[in-house]
Amino acid sequence: MFKLIVLILSIQFYYSQDKGLSLFEKKDYKQSLEYYLNVLNIRENDISAKFGAGISAFKNQDIETGMKFLQEVSNSKDEILSSRAHFNLANIYKDENKLEESLYHYKKAIELNSKDRDSKINFELLKKMLDQEDQGSQSNSGDEG
């Protein structure tokens, strides 16, 4: 009987995470965010739900809430989720033209998950772009003298 209860609770837990993801994949970001917030009302330290809430909030144009949740996840002990949180924070900062902050978060994502190709590619592209800007500003400053 105990095994049956554990099995039912496990299925319910995994299904509940899938429901938020399913809503997100259907681009129903508002419902996805509401779902994850409800999960967090019950399990306030659920790092996966915080990640889902952060991404859903961001996609729902609530950048501040999204960043708050992603910051929390980025400090978690789950290196893969932490890496994904850093990756998404980097993208947010890049969209806000805060390129140094973006570069920092891509680097953290790579440190936590060395197999993260997206972070590596974005890090290198952004670094190259910043290096070109630095070279451009150095050559422009030489023109003023």
Side-chain angles (χ1 to χ4, degrees), residues 126-138:
L126 184 57
K127 189 171 188 225
K128 191 176 287 189
M129 188 174 88
L130 287 172
D131 288 345
Q132 288 173 348
E133 283 181 9
D134 284 347
Q135 288 174 357
S137 67
Q138 286 175 0

Side-chain angles (χ1 to χ4, degrees), residues 27-128:
K27 299 185 185 329
D28 191 348
Y29 305 124
K30 184 177 179 182
Q31 288 295 314
S32 179
L33 175 59
E34 287 178 19
Y35 175 79
Y36 286 120
L37 292 175
N38 286 333
V39 169
L40 288 169
N41 281 333
I42 298 165
R43 299 187 308 258
E44 65 186 46
N45 293 322
D46 186 322
I47 204 72
S48 295
K50 286 182 182 183
F51 181 79
I55 299 300
S56 297
F58 172 70
K59 289 289 196 173
N60 205 38
Q61 304 303 312
D62 185 351
I63 308 301
E64 189 175 315
T65 299
M67 288 185 79
K68 177 185 138 265
F69 282 118
L70 290 172
Q71 287 286 358
E72 287 182 48
V73 175
S74 74
N75 294 318
S76 78
K77 292 179 181 166
D78 182 324
E79 290 186 350
I80 298 299
L81 272 180
S82 180
S83 173
R84 296 312 299 159
H86 278 289
F87 173 80
N88 284 286
L89 286 165
N91 288 337
I92 292 168
Y93 282 120
K94 187 173 67 176
D95 290 347
E96 293 180 345
N97 209 28
K98 296 179 179 178
L99 303 182
E100 292 295 332
E101 291 93 335
S102 179
L103 199 63
Y104 166 81
H105 285 286
Y106 284 133
K107 185 176 180 182
K108 290 298 289 182
I110 295 165
E111 288 172 3
L112 291 164
N113 180 8
S114 62
K115 296 177 183 176
D116 184 349
R117 279 181 44 91
D118 292 337
S119 291
K120 287 179 181 179
I121 290 168
N122 288 350
F123 176 83
E124 291 301 325
L125 289 173
L126 184 57
K127 189 171 188 225
K128 191 176 287 189

